[in-house]
Amino acid sequence: MSGTLLVVNLIVAIALMIALILIPKLNPAISLVIASIYMGVSCGLGFVTSIDTIASGFGNMMASIGLPIGFGVILGQLMSDTGAAKVIAKTIVHSVPNKFVLYAVAIAGFILAIPVFFDVTFIILIPIGIAVAKEVNKPLAYVVGALTIGDGIAQTLVPPTPNPLAAADLLHFNLGTMVIMGLIIGAIATVVSVFIYTKIHDTGFFKPEKDMNPNAELFSEEKELESDKQPSFLVSFLPILIPVVCILTGTGADAIYDETPMVAQFLGNKIIAILLGTLCSYLIGYKYLGRDKVEASAGEALKQAGIVLLITGAGGSFGSIISATDIGNALVTTLSINSGSVIKVLFLAYFIGCIFRIAQGSGTVAGITAMTIMATIAPSVSIHPVYIALAALAALAGGISVGHVNDSGFWVVSNLSGFTVTGGLKTYTVAQIIMSISIMILTLLFALVLPGAIG
């Protein structure tokens, strides 16, 4: 089959996937599988081979990251329910002068969103944010934007959240590289984005009389727990710190030793690293919640994990199909991408993520699909693994580019903040656009600093 026809089939498959999500409102996982069947059959794989490839792709993805995602969700839920997340947030926010408090709010969101889903992190932090806004005499729009930026960037770039965790497997590079790049670029992008967002709102961009819902009932900051009922800051932080240290230990040992020591291999394995963090959160939960409530908390977490696992696995299915069609070489030829075209690769990754994000709303689907397509291109271009990690960052940046009314996060932020639709667009949507562009620019800068990026 000609390369042009393969590219046309891919475009049709993407259009079909988006249409199934938007019109009959099918679950994204179902839409991904249907699009995968179309792609396989239309490209000559046949029905039986297509189904077998879809099943093996799902299985391979789950074998690789199914357990880490499940453990990570439990870790985040336990941090939320024990109060550890709120302890971290309050400690960070109240440790800086008022003029830096918006950056502290964003950093608190960034740290908490590493193990905790976006919606849950925002729900935890919005009562604190409302109190902070009153304390520093700033409109709530400032704090909501800072929360959205810190929360969204960490959720997008730093494992063990699903998309960055899947990135290393989809594009075949070291997870430690994703952790390092996600933390560095994410931290810088958070500060830059808050600065730009603040300057925009300093112009009077947000109009409370039009953009606030006068009938909204806002959260009030919850009362402090008794001193003997909440973990300390250090204890609260351990479930986040342990997996990061373990993963980086494995990555560092790979770089230092010709033959990586067994202990470093064991600790650096993503399943073990996140398992240890989860066990730590269990120990905290036993002390501050009790055994029964810990069990209930973990059970609730697994309800949330189900849909994430299904979508991520279906993304693996789609990846296996397009890999089997050898469309990577076709895309490289059609788009005139060669071994020196790193910048082209990054822009393509970003553009694909943007299309999916704007069209169907889900950042998870947008990021996974963009990286899945890029996984077929990267080997054909023969670029350095660091550039492949940057391609993942570009795809993820595109996947959070424009969150609007078809994005569940938009409604969570708008409703809990007491904003109208226009208020949500001026805060959540503007914040997401700024952080998406900031991440992409930083990714391009990192690529340009490294040799061989221009083409």
Side-chain angles (χ1 to χ4, degrees):
M1 181 174 291
S2 70
T4 302
L5 189 54
L6 283 173
V7 173
V8 169
N9 285 335
L10 176 62
I11 293 171
V12 173
I14 291 171
L16 175 63
M17 186 192 316
I18 293 173
L20 290 172
I21 293 172
L22 296 180
I23 300 172
K25 304 293 184 182
L26 291 184
N27 183 278
I30 297 174
S31 303
L32 275 163
V33 170
I34 293 173
S36 298
I37 294 172
Y38 166 81
M39 186 69 188
V41 173
S42 65
C43 292
L45 295 182
F47 282 100
V48 174
T49 301
S50 295
I51 296 301
D52 288 344
T53 304
I54 288 168
S56 64
F58 186 95
N60 290 339
M61 181 61 77
M62 286 299 96
S64 179
I65 66 171
L67 284 174
I69 288 177
F71 293 158
V73 174
I74 293 173
L75 188 161
Q77 185 70 42
L78 285 170
M79 284 189 64
S80 172
D81 291 346
T82 57
K86 186 162 287 188
V87 168
I88 293 171
K90 288 187 175 182
T91 302
I92 293 171
V93 169
H94 294 144
S95 65
V96 300
N98 282 355
K99 65 179 179 179
F100 297 122
V101 74
L102 292 178
Y103 295 95
V105 167
I107 293 299
F110 183 89
I111 291 173
L112 293 191
I114 292 173
V116 183
F117 284 139
F118 178 94
D119 294 1
V120 177
T121 299
F122 192 86
I123 291 168
I124 291 169
L125 290 179
I126 188 58
I128 301 172
I130 291 169
V132 165
K134 292 177 181 177
E135 184 178 325
V136 299
N137 196 28
K138 283 276 192 184
L140 185 57
Y142 283 83
V143 174
V144 169
L147 278 179
T148 299
I149 289 166
D151 190 350
I153 288 178
Q155 186 77 185
T156 302
L157 300 185
V158 187
T161 52
N163 273 12
L165 191 62
D169 284 280
L170 286 170
L171 290 161
H172 308 294
F173 63 92
N174 188 287
L175 181 60
T177 302
M178 189 70 218
V179 173
I180 294 168
M181 299 299 291
L183 287 172
I184 293 173
I185 290 182
I188 298 171
T190 297
V191 174
V192 171
S193 299
V194 171
F195 177 81
I196 295 171
Y197 178 89
T198 301
K199 293 302 179 184
I200 290 173
H201 279 263
D202 282 345
T203 65
F205 178 64
F206 189 89
K207 310 290 184 185
E209 64 277 6
K210 295 180 180 179
D211 299 328
M212 293 285 294
N213 181 354
N215 300 316
E217 294 184 9
L218 300 182
F219 282 110
S220 59
E221 188 173 12
E222 295 178 21
K223 294 180 180 179
E224 292 280 354
L225 295 171
E226 297 296 327
S227 60
D228 62 343
K229 294 295 184 182
Q230 59 180 337
S232 67
F233 175 79
L234 179 59
V235 170
S236 298
F237 198 66
L238 281 176
I240 300 174
L241 185 62
I242 288 172
V244 171
V245 170
C246 286
I247 291 170
L248 294 183
T249 297
T251 302
D254 284 342
I256 295 171
Y257 298 100
D258 292 333
E259 184 175 343
T260 306
M262 185 65 67
V263 172
Q265 290 183 43
F266 180 77
L267 292 176
N269 182 283
K270 56 182 173 288
I271 294 176
I272 297 302
I274 300 171
L275 173 62
L276 291 174
T278 305
L279 290 175
C280 180
S281 68
Y282 261 96
L283 292 176
I284 296 170
Y286 288 143
K287 180 173 181 179
Y288 296 99
L289 288 178
R291 187 173 299 178
D292 292 341
K293 289 184 179 179
V294 165
E295 183 180 0
S297 179
E300 183 63 30
L302 292 177
K303 293 179 185 178
Q304 300 177 46
I307 186 62
V308 177
L309 289 169
L310 193 61
I311 293 172
T312 305
S317 297
F318 188 60
S320 289
I321 283 289
I322 62 176
S323 177
T325 63
D326 196 32
I327 197 172
N329 287 319
L331 284 169
V332 167
T333 302
T334 303
L335 299 173
S336 301
I337 298 174
N338 55 50
S339 59
S341 298
V342 175
I343 299 301
K344 288 182 182 179
V345 170
L346 297 184
F347 273 112
L348 178 62
Y350 185 77
F351 180 67
I352 294 171
C354 284
I355 291 174
F356 275 91
R357 173 63 160 167
I358 294 168
Q360 53 78 46
S362 170
T364 300
V365 174
I368 289 288
T369 309
M371 290 188 296
T372 296
I373 294 171
M374 295 312 299
T376 66
I377 294 176
S380 302
V381 181
S382 300
I383 55 178
H384 190 276
V386 173
Y387 291 130
I388 296 177
L390 292 176
L393 290 171
L396 292 170
I400 55 166
S401 54
V402 184
H404 57 97
V405 294
N406 64 353
D407 173 14
S408 62
F410 174 90
W411 296 107
V412 170
V413 170
S414 299
N415 291 334
L416 293 182
S417 305
F419 295 159
T420 61
V421 172
T422 57
L425 292 170
K426 289 180 179 181
T427 52
Y428 179 82
T429 304
V430 168
Q432 296 240 317
I433 292 170
I434 292 170
M435 66 195 205
S436 170
I437 294 172
S438 297
I439 294 168
M440 184 58 186
I441 290 173
L442 288 167
T443 301
L444 290 170
L445 290 174
F446 267 79
L448 290 171
V449 167
L450 299 171
I454 299 175

XYZ file of all heavy atoms in Angstrom, residues 362-422:
420
model
N -10.464 15.607 26.290
C -9.687 14.845 27.264
C -8.191 14.995 27.023
O -7.680 14.632 25.954
C -10.070 13.362 27.210
O -9.164 12.588 27.972
N -7.469 15.503 28.019
C -6.025 15.603 27.915
C -5.368 14.239 27.884
O -4.338 14.047 27.228
N -5.959 13.277 28.592
C -5.422 11.913 28.597
C -5.463 11.308 27.210
O -4.464 10.771 26.702
C -6.215 11.022 29.572
O -6.126 11.566 30.886
C -5.677 9.599 29.579
N -6.623 11.407 26.548
C -6.774 10.857 25.199
C -5.863 11.601 24.222
O -5.198 10.987 23.385
C -8.248 10.948 24.732
C -8.376 10.502 23.277
C -9.142 10.101 25.622
N -5.818 12.925 24.339
C -5.004 13.722 23.427
C -3.527 13.358 23.541
O -2.843 13.134 22.532
C -5.203 15.215 23.717
N -3.023 13.293 24.768
C -1.615 12.976 24.964
C -1.261 11.569 24.531
O -0.256 11.350 23.843
N -2.074 10.601 24.942
C -1.806 9.201 24.591
C -1.814 9.011 23.084
O -0.932 8.355 22.502
C -2.848 8.268 25.249
C -2.634 8.176 26.760
C -2.812 6.878 24.618
C -1.421 7.389 27.185
N -2.819 9.584 22.401
C -2.928 9.396 20.950
C -1.778 10.066 20.222
O -1.199 9.500 19.285
C -4.267 9.949 20.440
O -5.335 9.413 21.215
C -4.479 9.578 18.983
N -1.427 11.275 20.626
C -0.318 11.984 19.981
C 0.983 11.208 20.146
O 1.762 11.060 19.190
C -0.188 13.388 20.560
N 1.239 10.710 21.342
C 2.476 9.952 21.567
C 2.456 8.629 20.816
O 3.504 8.155 20.343
C 2.683 9.726 23.072
C 3.028 10.977 23.836
S 3.500 10.665 25.567
C 1.968 10.009 26.243
N 1.278 8.027 20.694
C 1.160 6.772 19.955
C 1.554 6.971 18.493
O 2.281 6.155 17.908
C -0.289 6.254 20.038
O -0.598 5.940 21.397
C -0.465 5.007 19.196
N 1.076 8.061 17.913
C 1.432 8.353 16.523
C 2.912 8.680 16.405
O 3.608 8.230 15.482
C 0.562 9.510 15.989
C -0.909 9.049 15.910
C 1.050 9.967 14.605
C -1.893 10.159 15.604
N 3.440 9.446 17.360
C 4.851 9.805 17.324
C 5.749 8.585 17.500
O 6.888 8.558 17.011
C 5.166 10.846 18.403
C 4.487 12.191 18.211
S 4.654 12.847 16.534
C 6.435 12.988 16.393
N 5.244 7.566 18.172
C 6.042 6.355 18.389
C 6.382 5.667 17.079
O 7.367 4.936 16.987
C 5.298 5.395 19.316
N 5.550 5.883 16.052
C 5.836 5.289 14.743
C 6.820 6.136 13.943
O 7.440 5.645 12.997
C 4.537 5.142 13.921
O 4.024 6.444 13.607
C 3.492 4.372 14.700
N 6.953 7.416 14.314
C 7.820 8.323 13.561
C 9.241 8.330 14.115
O 10.217 8.294 13.360
C 7.239 9.752 13.585
C 5.904 9.778 12.828
C 8.214 10.759 12.980
C 5.205 11.113 12.879
N 9.360 8.363 15.454
C 10.667 8.516 16.090
C 11.706 7.489 15.610
O 12.838 7.863 15.281
C 10.512 8.467 17.603
N 11.369 6.180 15.544
C 12.387 5.219 15.081
C 12.804 5.463 13.634
O 13.955 5.206 13.261
C 11.673 3.861 15.216
C 10.569 4.100 16.199
C 10.127 5.507 15.952
N 11.871 5.964 12.826
C 12.182 6.194 11.410
C 13.111 7.378 11.222
O 13.845 7.461 10.237
C 10.875 6.437 10.638
O 10.000 5.339 10.777
N 13.084 8.328 12.158
C 13.917 9.520 12.053
C 15.307 9.276 12.641
O 16.255 9.985 12.343
C 13.223 10.710 12.760
C 14.056 11.974 12.642
C 11.850 10.945 12.157
N 15.420 8.260 13.490
C 16.693 7.902 14.119
C 17.295 9.052 14.912
O 18.424 9.490 14.659
C 17.706 7.427 13.049
O 17.214 6.307 12.371
N 16.527 9.583 15.859
C 17.017 10.674 16.692
C 17.417 10.145 18.063
O 17.016 9.071 18.475
C 15.962 11.795 16.838
C 14.634 11.238 17.373
C 15.744 12.502 15.521
C 13.562 12.295 17.581
N 18.232 10.937 18.756
C 18.749 10.554 20.074
C 17.591 10.366 21.061
O 16.574 11.056 20.980
C 19.691 11.651 20.573
C 20.464 11.258 21.801
N 19.945 11.375 23.074
C 21.721 10.747 21.936
C 20.850 10.952 23.949
N 21.929 10.563 23.281
N 17.737 9.428 22.024
C 16.672 9.205 23.010
C 16.229 10.459 23.752
O 15.062 10.576 24.120
C 17.316 8.191 23.971
C 18.292 7.442 23.137
C 18.820 8.442 22.155
N 17.149 11.406 23.985
C 16.748 12.649 24.658
C 15.753 13.403 23.802
O 14.778 13.977 24.291
C 17.975 13.531 24.966
C 17.531 14.900 25.499
C 18.873 12.849 25.991
N 15.964 13.407 22.465
C 15.024 14.076 21.572
C 13.677 13.358 21.564
O 12.630 13.982 21.406
C 15.591 14.123 20.148
C 16.777 15.040 19.977
C 17.941 14.597 19.364
C 16.729 16.361 20.420
C 19.033 15.438 19.192
C 17.810 17.205 20.259
C 18.959 16.741 19.648
O 20.028 17.567 19.485
N 13.707 12.042 21.712
C 12.448 11.292 21.779
C 11.670 11.696 23.027
O 10.446 11.859 22.993
C 12.729 9.774 21.757
C 13.370 9.378 20.421
C 11.447 8.990 21.984
C 13.764 7.917 20.322
N 12.389 11.895 24.141
C 11.739 12.372 25.358
C 11.153 13.767 25.132
O 10.051 14.077 25.610
C 12.737 12.403 26.513
N 11.872 14.613 24.390
C 11.354 15.945 24.085
C 10.116 15.856 23.188
O 9.181 16.660 23.319
C 12.432 16.792 23.404
C 13.637 17.180 24.277
C 14.682 17.927 23.448
C 13.209 18.029 25.471
N 10.096 14.884 22.274
C 8.906 14.681 21.440
C 7.706 14.312 22.307
O 6.576 14.757 22.058
C 9.172 13.590 20.399
N 7.952 13.504 23.344
C 6.880 13.159 24.282
C 6.377 14.413 24.994
O 5.164 14.621 25.144
C 7.379 12.139 25.300
N 7.299 15.272 25.437
C 6.914 16.511 26.104
C 6.106 17.405 25.171
O 5.125 18.040 25.587
C 8.154 17.257 26.590
C 8.911 16.628 27.767
C 10.231 17.356 27.997
C 8.073 16.673 29.027
N 6.504 17.475 23.899
C 5.773 18.293 22.929
C 4.362 17.752 22.719
O 3.388 18.517 22.660
C 6.532 18.339 21.604
N 4.237 16.434 22.615
C 2.918 15.824 22.447
C 2.039 16.091 23.668
O 0.843 16.406 23.544
C 3.061 14.316 22.220
N 2.622 15.985 24.851
C 1.875 16.228 26.079
C 1.492 17.703 26.207
O 0.402 18.031 26.695
C 2.694 15.778 27.285
C 2.911 14.263 27.395
C 3.936 13.941 28.478
C 1.603 13.545 27.675
N 2.386 18.596 25.774
C 2.072 20.030 25.795
C 0.885 20.327 24.889
O -0.018 21.102 25.246
C 3.293 20.845 25.365
N 0.878 19.719 23.713
C -0.270 19.886 22.821
C -1.539 19.322 23.418
O -2.635 19.856 23.206
N -1.386 18.257 24.200
C -2.546 17.602 24.803
C -3.234 18.399 25.885
O -4.327 18.031 26.322
N -2.612 19.497 26.357
C -3.281 20.356 27.348
C -3.486 21.770 26.801
O -3.736 22.705 27.553
C -2.478 20.446 28.663
C -1.046 20.920 28.401
C -2.503 19.153 29.416
C -0.318 21.354 29.652
N -3.432 21.920 25.490
C -3.343 23.248 24.898
C -4.564 24.129 25.114
O -4.436 25.290 25.500
C -3.059 23.120 23.398
O -4.022 22.285 22.796
N -5.745 23.635 24.837
C -6.948 24.470 24.932
C -8.051 23.666 25.618
O -8.815 22.957 24.966
C -7.434 24.956 23.545
C -8.629 25.905 23.716
C -6.321 25.658 22.780
N -8.125 23.789 26.936
C -9.206 23.140 27.669
C -10.409 24.072 27.731
O -10.303 25.185 28.230
N -11.533 23.617 27.189
C -12.711 24.489 27.181
C -13.940 23.689 27.597
O -13.833 22.774 28.419
C -12.878 25.176 25.814
C -12.972 24.229 24.657
N -14.160 23.826 24.103
C -11.997 23.586 23.944
C -13.942 23.001 23.100
N -12.634 22.829 22.989
N -15.116 24.013 27.038
C -16.376 23.478 27.581
C -16.562 21.979 27.368
O -17.455 21.380 27.977
C -17.585 24.236 26.999
C -17.579 25.682 27.458
C -17.584 24.189 25.459
N -15.747 21.344 26.503
C -15.865 19.889 26.347
C -14.878 19.134 27.235
O -14.685 17.932 27.101
C -15.672 19.481 24.884
C -14.284 19.795 24.353
O -13.478 20.436 25.034
N -13.991 19.355 23.143
N -14.278 19.851 28.173
C -13.280 19.280 29.087
C -13.881 19.257 30.498
O -14.308 20.301 31.013
C -12.021 20.149 29.036
C -10.979 19.763 30.073
O -11.092 18.678 30.664
O -10.049 20.566 30.289
N -13.901 18.093 31.121
C -14.492 17.988 32.463
C -13.776 18.880 33.474
O -14.393 19.430 34.395
C -14.462 16.533 32.940
O -13.122 16.068 33.046
N -12.460 19.048 33.303
C -11.703 19.901 34.204
C -12.182 21.342 34.179
O -12.158 22.044 35.200
N -12.633 21.791 33.009
C -13.156 23.153 32.874
C -14.325 23.365 33.830
O -14.413 24.391 34.513
C -13.600 23.391 31.424
C -14.284 24.710 31.194
C -13.558 25.833 30.855
C -15.668 24.825 31.308
C -14.186 27.059 30.638
C -16.310 26.035 31.097
C -15.569 27.158 30.762
N -15.216 22.389 33.888
C -16.414 22.542 34.718
C -16.100 22.370 36.194
O -16.703 23.029 37.047
C -17.488 21.549 34.265
C -17.944 21.845 32.866
C -17.667 21.138 31.740
C -18.715 22.977 32.445
N -18.216 21.737 30.640
C -18.872 22.870 31.043
C -19.285 24.061 33.108
C -19.577 23.807 30.299
C -19.987 24.997 32.366
C -20.125 24.872 30.988
N -15.151 21.497 36.515
C -14.733 21.356 37.916
C -14.195 22.685 38.434
O -14.604 23.181 39.494
C -13.660 20.252 38.064
C -13.050 20.287 39.457
C -14.265 18.883 37.787
N -13.291 23.285 37.673
C -12.667 24.546 38.095
C -13.699 25.672 38.135
O -13.777 26.429 39.106
C -11.498 24.905 37.151
C -11.002 26.324 37.427
C -10.369 23.905 37.308
N -14.502 25.791 37.083
C -15.477 26.891 37.014
C -16.512 26.797 38.125
O -16.821 27.794 38.800
C -16.172 26.889 35.642
O -15.247 27.082 34.601
N -17.071 25.613 38.332
C -18.138 25.462 39.322
C -17.634 25.639 40.750
O -18.276 26.300 41.571
C -18.816 24.098 39.164
C -19.613 23.988 37.883
O -20.071 24.992 37.347
N -19.783 22.774 37.371
N -16.478 25.035 41.070
C -15.959 25.141 42.434
C -15.451 26.550 42.745
O -15.370 26.939 43.913
C -14.826 24.134 42.648
C -15.221 22.659 42.621
C -14.013 21.777 42.890
C -16.317 22.348 43.624
N -15.135 27.310 41.696
C -14.632 28.670 41.896
C -15.737 29.716 41.823
O -15.498 30.903 42.075
C -13.567 28.998 40.839
O -12.540 28.038 40.845
N -16.937 29.279 41.442
C -18.049 30.217 41.340
C -17.981 31.098 40.106
O -18.483 32.231 40.120
N -17.396 30.590 39.015
C -17.254 31.372 37.789
C -18.366 31.040 36.804
O -18.896 29.921 36.786
C -15.908 31.097 37.106
C -14.705 31.523 37.898
C -13.457 30.972 37.639
C -14.803 32.482 38.896
C -12.341 31.361 38.358
C -13.690 32.877 39.621
C -12.453 32.316 39.358
N -18.701 32.009 35.962
C -19.560 31.747 34.817
C -18.719 31.070 33.738
O -17.509 30.866 33.908
C -20.130 33.061 34.262
O -19.035 33.882 33.835
C -20.938 33.805 35.325
N -19.350 30.756 32.600
C -18.602 30.143 31.496
C -17.494 31.082 31.025
O -16.348 30.655 30.801
C -19.540 29.782 30.325
C -18.730 29.337 29.108
C -20.498 28.670 30.742
N -17.811 32.369 30.886
C -16.770 33.312 30.460
C -15.663 33.417 31.503
O -14.485 33.554 31.157
C -17.358 34.710 30.193
O -18.021 35.167 31.379
C -18.330 34.684 29.038
